[in-house]
Amino acid sequence: MKIKFLIFIITISSSITFINAQEHTKDTIDDQVVNVVKPYTPTISDAFKIKNVPKLNDSNSVKKKEVKYNIFSIPVASTFTPAKGKAAKVDKAKAVKLYDNYASVGFGTYTTILGEIYLNHELSNDESVGGYFSHHSSAGGIADVLLDDDFTKTSLNAHYSQKLRDFSWKIDGGFDLQTYNWYGLPQIFFDVTTAAMIDPGHSFNSFNIGGKLKFDDAIIKDGSVRFRRFGDDQDSGENRFLATTNFSVPVQGEEINAEFNIDYIGGSFDQDFNGNSQIKYGNVIFGLAPSYQLKQDDLTVDLGVKLTYLNDTEFGDNKFFIYPNIEASYRLVDEILIAYGGIKGDLIQNSYYDFVNENPFVSPTLFIAPTDQRYKGSLGIKGKLSNNVSYNIKGNYYAEKGKALFKANEAQTFATENYQYGNSFGVVYDDVTTFSVAGELNIDVNRNFTLGIKGEYFNYNTDMQAEPWNLPDIIGSIFLDFQISEKWYAGASTYYVGERKDQSTLVDAFIQDAPITITLDSYFDANAHLGYKINDQLSVFGKVNNIANQDYQRYLKFPVQGIQALAGATYQFDF
């Protein structure tokens, strides 16, 4: 009985102890915070491929038969012994010594004197200075001419240039002196007695200074300026200033090229042809010509326009012109056949200086005005027939308002000036349209033989003038140069000029005869030269001009010298 009671007491006590332990455990457990330092990165374990070698269970398989072979070497006696190779020698051409300076002088018939001196000296790798002198004169002696026909042309120029890091520049200047004679006296109107009273000599002089500037990598690519003073011994004078610059402007990744120019001219003549009032002229031209080049495969197109503003400083007249400026080319067959064309226009600034250089027998009584070349269209093909032969064929059509034409002045029986005897030329202006077809062929063989052939046919339509005075209907030329040997060289040239027309008019104090239209004959002028190099520095030469001895007239009543011969020498040197 005591044992049972003890077991009951122990059981109750154990239950109470267990309950208290549970309650105490619930009170002592706290919440825990887990910080994840690295995200879980799953990985895939390597896979192991089971290698099974298939077996062919074919009862019909054929066993490869083993092949055995032997090589029987048989010795062959040979007496051939190869020679040792030897490199071939290449003949090296001797380097040609090039000289920076030369002097040339020659003497010929008609008491002709020809001289040239060219100098160029490098002050440093980036600086150079130089000059040029030329003289050409003749005492005359043209057959059947009643007046003196001698002439002289002398020129002296100097320059200095320097190249810097980002640009280069050059400045130059010079003098020119020319003397001529109005010797084209119309002998159908005047005789020896009248000729004795005429002093046909007249002279021109000019001074010019200018410079050029070229940038290597800039918006402005280059620029140039030039001032020229030109005059004569008849109290005529002309000033001209010309400035031009080329620049490019980037626009949305593309490049627009443009040219801007200023052209001023002003001058005067002491009197007009009839000895009355003084002639004055002057104007300034501003021009801007932007263009854009488009290239696609074999096609190249230059799209542009030229904007020109003219201010006549003498008459106070202002005009604005817009000209097309478009060119295009397309390679039809690589370099063999290229088609090209374009249409352009411009306001051409005429000057006394330019007229004299083209025709030195003009009278100092000209009216100077610009020519409005409204458009000039061209279309042609060009290319290479071979590496040594190239060609060019094109057609032109252009319209010009106020085109300058040389026309013989009238002959006055009451003349008081030496140029009023019908022995000088004036300038008339007219609206002229011109169509022409031109061709050119060039042959160059190993630089020892070159041949060039050119020709062009013209068709003119005038508005007010009866004829396109002194404009030829055909012109042509042939040029030939031949290096005969290391010492000998030769060359030839031939010019052809077609028929031209002019007028001859006699005026006395009371009656003016009707103008007589005269057709000037076409002519050939053939020339040749031969030279021999004595050494690297000294050479001698001979020239023959007008080989056919033609007494053709370049202008009305102005015949040229007959056959002419000249011999001289050229010496090259360095400082």
Side-chain angles (χ1 to χ4, degrees):
M1 192 67 182
K2 290 181 180 179
I3 296 170
K4 293 181 178 179
F5 179 76
L6 180 62
I7 295 171
F8 174 76
I9 293 300
I10 294 171
T11 304
I12 295 300
S13 299
S14 301
S15 299
I16 294 173
T17 303
F18 177 77
I19 293 172
N20 290 335
Q22 291 292 326
E23 291 177 356
H24 184 268
T25 303
K26 290 181 181 180
D27 293 338
T28 59
I29 296 176
D30 297 329
D31 295 334
Q32 298 294 324
V33 177
V34 178
N35 294 323
V36 178
V37 178
K38 181 180 180 182
Y40 175 69
T41 305
T43 60
I44 300 176
S45 61
D46 295 336
F48 299 96
K49 182 179 180 181
I50 300 175
K51 298 180 181 180
N52 292 328
V53 180
K55 296 182 180 180
L56 180 62
N57 297 321
D58 190 354
S59 59
N60 296 326
S61 60
V62 180
K63 185 179 181 180
K64 293 182 180 181
K65 185 177 181 180
E66 185 179 357
V67 179
K68 295 182 180 181
Y69 59 90
N70 296 320
I71 298 176
F72 300 96
S73 299
I74 301 174
V76 177
S78 175
T79 59
F80 172 75
T81 303
K84 294 182 178 179
K86 186 177 181 181
K89 293 183 179 179
V90 178
D91 294 333
K92 186 178 180 180
K94 184 180 178 181
V96 178
K97 170 67 175 177
L98 300 178
Y99 296 92
D100 294 333
N101 315 277
Y102 75 88
S104 179
V105 64
F107 302 92
T109 56
Y110 294 93
T111 318
T112 299
I113 301 175
L114 180 65
E116 286 183 331
I117 299 176
Y118 177 80
L119 303 175
N120 186 68
H121 180 62
E122 291 188 358
L123 300 176
S124 65
N125 292 333
D126 302 324
E127 293 178 281
S128 66
V129 62
Y132 175 73
F133 170 81
S134 67
H135 175 82
H136 185 198
S137 64
S138 174
I142 300 175
D144 302 325
V145 171
L146 300 180
L147 299 175
D148 295 336
D149 59 292
D150 57 284
F151 70 88
T152 62
K153 293 187 291 184
T154 304
S155 177
L156 177 63
N157 296 274
H159 69 267
Y160 171 82
S161 62
Q162 184 180 28
K163 181 173 178 58
L164 301 176
R165 180 178 178 180
D166 298 323
F167 66 94
S168 60
W169 62 278
K170 177 181 179 180
I171 185 171
D172 63 278
F175 300 90
D176 295 288
L177 177 63
Q178 305 176 58
T179 62
Y180 293 94
N181 287 277
W182 291 301
Y183 65 86
L185 186 68
Q187 299 183 28
I188 58 174
F189 301 144
F190 305 103
D191 55 14
V192 179
T193 303
T194 305
M197 299 184 299
I198 301 174
D199 180 11
H202 59 287
S203 63
F204 306 100
N205 57 82
S206 69
F207 162 77
N208 73 91
I209 186 171
K212 296 180 180 180
L213 190 64
K214 184 177 181 180
F215 295 92
D216 294 334
D217 188 12
I219 295 178
I220 299 177
K221 297 180 178 180
D222 55 56
S224 64
V225 294
R226 177 72 55 189
F227 171 78
R228 184 183 301 276
R229 170 66 182 180
F230 181 74
D232 59 25
D233 60 349
Q234 309 290 321
D235 296 328
S236 307
E238 178 183 82
N239 296 318
R240 187 174 184 181
F241 175 79
L242 178 63
T244 304
T245 182
N246 292 279
F247 59 93
S248 60
V249 179
V251 178
Q252 295 183 353
E254 302 292 340
E255 191 174 80
I256 304 297
N257 297 312
E259 177 181 297
F260 177 75
N261 69 281
I262 302 174
D263 193 348
Y264 166 80
I265 193 170
S268 64
F269 297 99
D270 188 54
Q271 59 185 13
D272 61 16
F273 184 75
N274 294 317
N276 298 321
S277 60
Q278 185 184 37
I279 300 176
K280 290 185 177 182
Y281 60 93
N283 61 67
V284 59
I285 297 174
F286 298 90
L288 177 64
S291 65
Y292 171 72
Q293 186 175 82
L294 173 65
K295 285 187 177 182
Q296 184 175 1
D297 298 331
D298 295 325
L299 177 66
T300 302
V301 180
D302 291 323
L303 300 174
V305 65
K306 186 163 188 178
L307 310 175
T308 303
Y309 174 76
L310 171 66
N311 178 21
D312 193 321
T313 58
E314 284 297 322
F315 298 97
D317 189 16
N318 302 313
K319 293 183 180 180
F320 184 73
F321 304 86
I322 301 178
Y323 298 105
N325 188 17
I326 302 172
E327 287 184 318
S329 65
Y330 183 75
R331 297 177 182 270
L332 298 173
V333 186
D334 295 332
E335 297 291 335
I336 299 175
L337 182 61
I338 302 174
Y340 67 95
I343 179 170
K344 291 188 172 186
D346 198 5
L347 187 64
I348 301 173
Q349 183 80 284
N350 294 313
S351 67
Y352 186 33
Y353 173 79
D354 293 333
F355 287 149
V356 167
N357 283 333
E358 186 175 355
N359 183 353
F361 310 113
V362 293
S363 61
T365 59
L366 307 179
F367 177 73
I368 308 295
T371 297
D372 177 15
Q373 188 179 79
R374 295 179 175 179
Y375 60 86
K376 179 179 180 180
S378 62
L379 186 64
I381 57 174
K382 62 182 179 180
K384 291 184 176 181
L385 301 177
S386 68
N387 292 333
N388 302 322
V389 180
S390 62
Y391 69 93
N392 188 3
I393 302 173
K394 68 175 179 177
N396 301 305
Y397 182 81
Y398 43 99
E400 296 171 293
K401 182 178 181 181
K403 182 179 178 63
L405 304 171
F406 293 114
K407 185 180 179 183
N409 286 324
E410 61 187 28
Q412 299 178 348
T413 58
F414 51 90
T416 57
E417 300 291 342
N418 295 313
Y419 52 79
Q420 293 177 334
Y421 293 88
N423 57 338
S424 65
F425 293 85
V427 174
V428 295
Y429 297 86
D430 196 12
D431 298 344
V432 181
T433 58
T434 306
F435 170 75
S436 71
V437 178
E440 180 179 352
L441 182 67
N442 293 297
I443 301 174
D444 188 351
V445 182
N446 298 328
R447 298 184 179 179
N448 291 327
F449 176 83
T450 58
L451 174 65
I453 303 174
K454 298 180 181 180
E456 189 167 5
Y457 165 78
F458 300 92
N459 182 270
Y460 308 97
N461 286 311
T462 57
D463 183 22
M464 301 297 294
Q465 299 295 321
E467 299 288 348
W469 309 117
N470 284 291
L471 294 180
D473 55 355
I474 298 176
I475 59 173
S477 60
I478 300 176
F479 298 90
L480 169 67
D481 284 301
F482 181 43
Q483 187 70 39
I484 303 173
S485 65
E486 184 179 355
K487 296 290 187 179
W488 290 94
Y489 61 92
S493 62
T494 300
Y495 302 91
Y496 174 80
V497 178
E499 293 182 345
R500 295 133 293 136
K501 293 185 177 181
D502 206 333
Q503 277 190 345
S504 179
T505 306
L506 178 65
V507 178
D508 63 21
F510 305 101
I511 300 175
Q512 177 176 339
D513 293 343
I516 302 173
T517 300
I518 299 174
T519 300
L520 300 176
D521 295 334
S522 59
Y523 64 87
F524 277 100
D525 193 336
N527 313 285
H529 68 269
L530 178 68
Y532 177 76
K533 293 183 178 180
I534 299 175
N535 52 45
D536 291 342
Q537 293 181 267
L538 181 62
S539 62
V540 293
F541 62 86
K543 297 181 180 181
V544 181
N545 297 330
N546 195 4
I547 297 175
N549 197 29
Q550 293 191 7
D551 57 348
Y552 62 85
Q553 297 182 35
R554 176 63 183 88
Y555 292 101
L556 181 63
K557 306 302 180 185
F558 281 83
V560 300
Q561 296 177 352
I563 185 171
Q564 309 147 44
L566 182 140
T570 300
Y571 181 73
Q572 303 179 77
F573 59 96
D574 284 333
F575 290 115

